[in-house]
Amino acid sequence: MFDYLIVGAGFAGATIAERLAADGGKRVLICDRRPHIAGNAYDHYDADGILVHKYGPHIFHTNARSVYDYLSRFTEWRPYQHRVLASVDGQLLPVPINLDTVNRMYGLTLTSFELEKFFESVAEPVEQIRTSEDVIVSKVGRELYEKFFRNYTRKQWGLDPSELDSAVTARVPVRTNRDDRYFTDTYQVMPLHGYTRMFERILGHPNIKVLLNADFREIKGMIPHRDVIFTGPVDEYFDYRLGRLPYRSLNFQFETRNVTVAQPGPVINYPNDNAYTRVTEFKYLTGQEHHKTTLVYEYACAEGDPYYPIPRPENAALYKRYQELAATTPGVHFLGRLGTYKYYNMDQVVAQALTLYTKIAELPQRDLSLTTA
Ligand SMILES: Cc1cc2nc3c(=O)[nH]c(=O)nc-3n(C[C@H](O)[C@H](O)[C@H](O)COP(=O)(O)OP(=O)(O)OC[C@H]3O[C@@H](n4cnc5c(N)ncnc54)[C@H](O)[C@@H]3O)c2cc1C
């Protein structure tokens, strides 16, 4: 019998599997309904031999030393500072908005100090910040909001920023200096040989068995196990009995070109023109040298794989009811982006899994004869 049946072989499932097996000495079965490990971080070589991320670009960045140290046991790293340009009024301008963005957009030569004054002069006073629109217009005013944020957000979420929780854009920085890095975290790195190779090592412990193409619902009755750790959608676990938690999905369109470099930076955002939201050129991220190059175009959509929990108050309220149900379901732990309906980055999911492991390790062990099916 397995001590744990772990559902989902993404960052959440793989991290907790590794801890339970390697530190806790438990026998673990990890299943995934996809034909591969690594969840949304899965990468592979395409038909032309270019390393691509199947579910869109994944850039690792964290301030958590513990998470960086933990993952460093399974991979070497390649230093990588991410940069994003936005296509606005026929120019490619740095985002997050910084001194160069504003100067190039308006043909100005402002200093940092003058830019602060500029933002103060265009910012709209908002008494209580509730929506994503409030966050942005109160920082940079309506024109920059319209050009850089409004339509991007509408494409990405299918909702106007005025309908979205302030949390979506609360962390979007606006800079008055010339720092054009997308992230400012202490650790900004990419796994040297890719995410999938790193996951192979995370799951390489002999106490871990991996079962792919296997949906939890199909196998749960067939495999004797004690506890479950579920990193799939929490509403799905409960057969949607309280209703469906809404997710935003994406369609990815890959394109390989017969040139060494196709665009002037790793990611170009299209806040206004074009149906796609952004285009990523993978070789910038991976550092791979190749005479061809592969790009991915992202189209946001309502139907498809659940990628982004939609942060609206009514969804948070529905999740809270599922959370209460989860808390009263013995022998099952919910974890990860889908299991806890939260817009987490990879490092946050690893931290969440490490914390859950610590909690489990401190719990008195349940009787192993209690087979759950
Ligand atoms: C387009 C995109 C870009 C992103 N970019 C970044 C980035 O640059 N940096 C960053 O830090 N984060 C990024 N993220 C977030 C990152 O993908 C998540 O933080 C991470 O994947 C969460 O890991 P997880 O294990 O919780 O979920 P997942 O990776 O989604 O893994 C869950 C797994 O569970 C499986 N599963 C679900 N239900 C079942 C079932 N019933 N039976 C069997 N298996 C099941 C799924 O197939 C899936 O493989 C991005 C996400 C997306 C969608």
Side-chain angles (χ1 to χ4, degrees):
M1 176 171 59
F2 289 101
D3 297 313
Y4 286 90
L5 171 54
I6 299 182
V7 183
F11 268 102
T15 303
I16 191 98
E18 190 280 336
R19 286 294 72 207
L20 286 165
D23 189 69
K26 303 292 182 211
R27 283 156 303 171
V28 174
L29 176 70
I30 185 165
C31 72
D32 204 298
R33 59 183 165 204
R34 287 171 169 164
H36 58 73
I37 57 171
N40 285 342
Y42 173 68
D43 55 14
H44 68 105
Y45 288 89
D46 67 12
D48 288 283
I50 298 164
L51 186 60
V52 297
H53 298 180
K54 185 175 165 76
Y55 305 98
H58 277 69
I59 292 108
F60 187 80
H61 56 100
T62 189
N63 285 316
R65 171 86 198 245
S66 55
V67 170
Y68 173 77
D69 284 347
Y70 172 72
L71 292 176
S72 300
R73 299 183 200 172
F74 310 103
T75 187
E76 292 165 71
W77 301 104
R78 161 177 190 267
Y80 172 71
Q81 302 271 2
H82 193 51
R83 286 182 170 79
V84 177
L85 297 167
S87 170
V88 173
D89 294 345
Q91 295 198 72
L92 294 179
L93 301 171
V95 279
I97 291 174
N98 70 16
L99 183 59
D100 287 324
T101 316
V102 173
N103 278 339
R104 284 177 48 202
M105 187 163 140
Y106 294 112
L108 299 171
T109 51
L110 300 177
T111 61
S112 291
F113 178 71
E114 288 165 338
L115 182 58
E116 264 174 52
K117 297 280 163 218
F118 173 87
F119 284 148
E120 278 168 26
S121 73
V122 293
E124 285 184 10
V126 178
E127 223 163 77
Q128 201 198 347
I129 307 252
R130 283 179 303 107
T131 68
S132 287
E133 175 180 312
D134 297 341
V135 174
I136 304 298
V137 296
S138 68
K139 274 191 196 166
V140 298
R142 196 144 295 265
E143 186 170 3
L144 290 171
Y145 161 74
E146 298 278 350
K147 287 190 188 296
F148 285 85
F149 295 98
R150 184 162 187 216
N151 288 329
Y152 192 86
T153 308
R154 286 165 76 137
K155 278 197 265 184
Q156 178 78 3
W157 294 101
L159 291 167
D160 193 80
S162 59
E163 300 170 281
L164 268 176
D165 203 288
S166 60
V168 179
T169 42
R171 286 181 302 173
V172 172
V174 172
R175 301 185 182 133
T176 53
N177 60 20
R178 303 187 65 194
D179 186 351
D180 66 346
R181 293 171 308 154
Y182 199 69
F183 304 113
T184 52
D185 301 48
T186 313
Y187 304 98
Q188 300 188 49
V189 285
M190 295 289 285
L192 187 61
H193 302 292
Y195 288 100
T196 305
R197 280 280 284 279
M198 178 174 79
F199 272 78
E200 281 166 7
R201 293 183 64 186
I202 297 175
L203 295 173
H205 193 278
N207 282 2
I208 304 176
K209 305 295 169 218
V210 181
L211 190 61
L212 298 175
N213 292 311
D215 194 301
F216 175 63
R217 281 167 300 191
E218 292 170 53
I219 61 157
K220 64 181 175 184
M222 295 180 213
I223 292 172
H225 58 279
R226 197 188 58 174
D227 286 0
V228 171
I229 295 178
F230 192 83
T231 76
V234 59
D235 53 341
E236 180 189 306
Y237 180 89
F238 292 108
D239 295 322
Y240 310 104
R241 74 175 77 150
L242 305 173
R244 278 182 186 262
L245 285 166
Y247 288 93
R248 194 74 178 148
S249 192
L250 290 169
N251 269 324
F252 300 103
Q253 211 175 80
F254 290 82
E255 180 184 294
T256 301
R257 293 199 200 158
N258 221 344
V259 292
T260 325
V261 181
Q263 62 181 33
V267 171
I268 312 240
N269 283 355
Y270 290 87
N272 298 301
D273 344 307
N274 307 317
Y276 39 82
T277 48
R278 61 178 181 176
V279 181
T280 302
E281 184 166 3
F282 288 106
K283 280 163 54 183
Y284 284 102
L285 275 53
T286 59
Q288 187 180 5
E289 290 186 9
H290 199 289
H291 61 283
K292 292 187 185 180
T293 193
T294 300
L295 307 160
V296 67
Y297 295 72
E298 285 176 50
Y299 298 83
C301 52
E303 300 299 323
D305 277 1
Y307 289 131
Y308 300 115
I310 301 178
R312 300 198 67 190
E314 61 270 34
N315 302 345
L318 179 57
Y319 169 63
K320 199 159 176 285
R321 293 177 60 211
Y322 274 115
Q323 202 180 11
E324 283 158 13
L325 205 52
T328 54
T329 307
V332 187
H333 302 274
F334 293 85
L335 189 63
R337 201 180 240 216
L338 305 171
T340 56
Y341 197 64
K342 188 115 197 264
Y343 188 103
Y344 280 134
N345 281 327
M346 297 181 281
D347 63 320
Q348 294 170 306
V349 167
V350 172
Q352 194 194 32
L354 294 175
T355 304
L356 176 61
Y357 174 66
T358 311
K359 261 197 221 152
I360 289 176
E362 284 165 1
L363 284 177
Q365 294 305 296
R366 294 199 303 131
D367 180 357
L368 274 182
S369 62
L370 288 172
T371 311
T372 339

